[in-house]
Amino acid sequence: MTSVSDRMSDSALPRYFFLDWVRIVAFFLLILYHVGMYYVTWGWHVKSPDASHAIEPFMMLSAPWRLSLLFLVSGVASSCMLANLRPLLFLRKRSWRLLVPLLFGVFVIVPPQSYCEVVEKLGYAGSYADFMRLYVHAYHGFCRDGCLILPTWNHLWFVAYLWAYTVVLAIIVLALGPRFDRLAAGVGRMLAGWKLIVLPAAALGVARMLMVERFPTTNALVDDWYMHMHYLIVFLLGALLARVPGVWPRFDALRWTGLAVALSGWAVMLVWYAVPKTAVAGTPWEFLVYPVRAVYALMTWSAIVAACGFARRHLDRDGRARRYLAEAVFPVYILHQTLIVVLAHAFKPLHRSPGVEAPMLIVLVTVLSFAGFEIVRRVSVLRPLFGLGPRAETAARTAAAAPAGPTPAGA
């Protein structure tokens, strides 16, 4: 295999335990975030009758960077795998681990979300079996302010996008060969000191200023060009950084700076979104939207730098908890949103206040997600449906002395 750099010739890539923890924490933030989506005014599959603006500022604290962070870590993991596998073999393995759970999720895990959605929003009175007949035949008659597209992947869009980006990365590595490591070394030399924050943020900012209004987020893969530009930049940057020895201590050194910049950006975003758009429409103040978009990108990347820096400082260690959670996180991700939607729908007749209902949802979703994982990990036929390898393969990977990169299973 091509050397990572002149200084690391013929040596394995190091094990990034802290990035495993970043991935674990970021995925579990999704449980909190998606429970929160039930109680805010933003569009979602089902809505609490008590939905309000109350927690939206706190939702905005993580919304800009949480998924970008996961794509960065996935880029690192994919690059580490490619350091030990031929691109086509890598692509075959990743396709099995991602596309099988995606297909299973679309037809088994996700449909209860869509059923609850049409019941609540459109008053659908048919049984779940009746709905599934419509679902698998791509019925497009559930319409109100647009039609519900069936079948759908809902929260599993992340898996589809990740697979597409692994294809892009495999093609790039196949085309560049040893030049990929040289490109990574050049990027590593460039991203030193303050440039580690400014240059990636600038790339994300340009993409946002030029594309976000023209290509609104769809999560539909084929037409989501702004999000592809944003996430692909972050994913490929992670893939390059994985090949740069000594790059992660730079994140550690900038962790407090990144945190301060991210929180400042959050404050700017709160002020901007609090201003009624009718108050600035048609005035020179309207053009502030462009620097605000740049601030959004700066907040996104600064938060990523801070998260990676603090994790490297405090979480760069192995243990039974990391190994267990690293395996659990993808099945839990697959299950969690369906559990949230179904339980929230079932709780409606109880008329509980959000202060009581939300903690109940968080606890029940977490417990049931892990209960599902405990079943899945013990049943060989279920493991590939939730992105897990064969039990013997998992045991061998756990026993390996120094596997490279963060655990690549699942996402």
Side-chain angles (χ1 to χ4, degrees):
M1 183 65 191
T2 305
S3 64
V4 176
S5 70
D6 292 337
R7 292 190 303 162
M8 297 183 66
S9 179
D10 300 323
S11 63
L13 295 182
R15 180 61 139 145
Y16 302 127
F17 291 121
F18 74 96
L19 288 182
D20 268 342
W21 283 110
V22 165
R23 175 173 167 265
I24 290 164
V25 172
F27 265 121
F28 286 119
L29 279 175
L30 282 175
I31 293 179
L32 298 178
Y33 188 85
H34 284 149
V35 169
M37 285 296 293
Y38 182 57
Y39 295 102
V40 296
T41 60
W42 308 336
W44 205 52
H45 311 291
V46 293
K47 278 292 162 186
S48 167
D50 299 306
S52 70
H53 299 290
I55 64 169
E56 288 176 3
F58 301 101
M59 299 281 282
M60 290 170 58
L61 180 59
S62 68
W65 56 266
R66 189 190 63 257
L67 290 170
S68 300
L69 178 61
L70 285 171
F71 278 113
L72 178 86
V73 175
S74 297
V76 174
S78 298
S79 186
C80 290
M81 290 182 70
L82 276 166
N84 299 299
L85 295 173
R86 295 186 303 275
L88 293 181
L89 179 58
F90 158 81
L91 189 56
R92 188 178 73 185
K93 285 178 172 288
R94 295 305 282 161
S95 295
W96 176 257
R97 288 291 182 90
L98 295 174
L99 294 184
V100 170
L102 179 61
L103 187 63
F104 174 74
V106 165
F107 288 100
V108 178
I109 302 297
V110 168
Q113 299 181 37
S114 299
Y115 176 71
C116 292
E117 184 171 357
V118 298
V119 168
E120 291 202 6
K121 293 182 178 179
L122 302 175
Y124 178 68
S127 68
Y128 186 71
D130 294 332
F131 171 78
M132 282 304 298
R133 281 191 286 271
L134 298 173
Y135 185 92
V136 298
H137 287 94
Y139 177 69
H140 286 173
F142 292 121
C143 300
R144 190 185 73 180
D145 300 326
C147 297
L148 185 64
I149 297 174
L150 301 177
T152 184
W153 48 45
N154 282 6
H155 68 296
L156 299 182
W157 68 266
F158 175 85
V159 182
Y161 282 44
L162 181 56
W163 177 81
Y165 301 160
T166 59
V167 173
V168 172
L169 178 61
I171 292 172
I172 291 173
V173 172
L174 186 63
L176 294 182
R179 289 173 292 176
F180 184 79
D181 284 335
R182 293 199 289 271
L183 175 61
V187 170
R189 287 191 296 270
M190 189 184 306
L191 298 181
W194 58 269
K195 295 178 183 177
L196 180 61
I197 290 181
V198 172
L199 294 184
L204 297 176
V206 169
R208 186 167 183 83
M209 285 189 285
L210 295 180
M211 301 182 69
V212 69
E213 188 173 3
R214 187 177 176 188
F215 299 104
T217 300
T218 67
N219 293 340
L221 187 65
V222 295
D223 60 355
D224 207 5
W225 296 113
Y226 163 63
M227 295 314 303
H228 284 318
M229 179 65 71
H230 177 94
Y231 289 136
L232 193 55
I233 288 173
V234 176
F235 178 85
L236 292 178
L237 183 56
L240 291 168
L241 292 178
R243 308 295 182 92
V244 180
V247 73
W248 299 108
R250 304 177 198 176
F251 285 75
D252 189 336
L254 290 171
R255 66 191 187 283
W256 287 108
T257 302
L259 179 61
V261 173
L263 291 176
S264 299
W266 177 51
V268 171
M269 301 302 297
L270 292 182
V271 171
W272 175 252
Y273 286 116
V275 175
K277 296 303 170 279
T278 55
V280 298
T283 72
W285 294 103
E286 187 176 19
F287 293 96
L288 283 176
V289 67
Y290 296 103
V292 168
R293 288 173 183 170
V295 169
Y296 184 99
L298 180 60
M299 176 192 174
T300 297
W301 181 250
S302 298
I304 290 172
V305 170
C308 292
F310 279 106
R312 187 186 179 276
R313 172 59 63 97
H314 300 291
L315 295 174
D316 196 16
R317 58 180 179 270
D318 194 13
R320 293 179 63 184
R322 185 207 62 81
R323 290 190 291 272
Y324 176 81
L325 292 173
E327 185 181 26
V329 69
F330 195 42
V332 168
Y333 160 71
I334 291 173
L335 291 168
H336 84 282
Q337 184 165 296
T338 295
L339 289 170
I340 293 171
V341 171
V342 171
L343 289 172
H345 178 70
F347 285 172
K348 269 199 168 76
L350 301 179
H351 303 291
R352 300 293 185 186
S353 68
V356 173
E357 185 181 61
M360 289 172 56
L361 282 174
I362 292 168
V363 171
L364 280 173
V365 168
T366 302
V367 169
L368 292 175
S369 294
F370 274 95
F373 166 65
E374 286 295 333
I375 295 171
V376 167
R377 71 194 290 245
R378 288 168 166 79
V379 181
S380 297
V381 71
L382 294 179
R383 290 179 66 88
L385 301 179
F386 288 84
L388 301 181
R391 298 181 71 175
E393 177 184 327
T394 301
R397 187 170 61 244
T398 300
T407 302

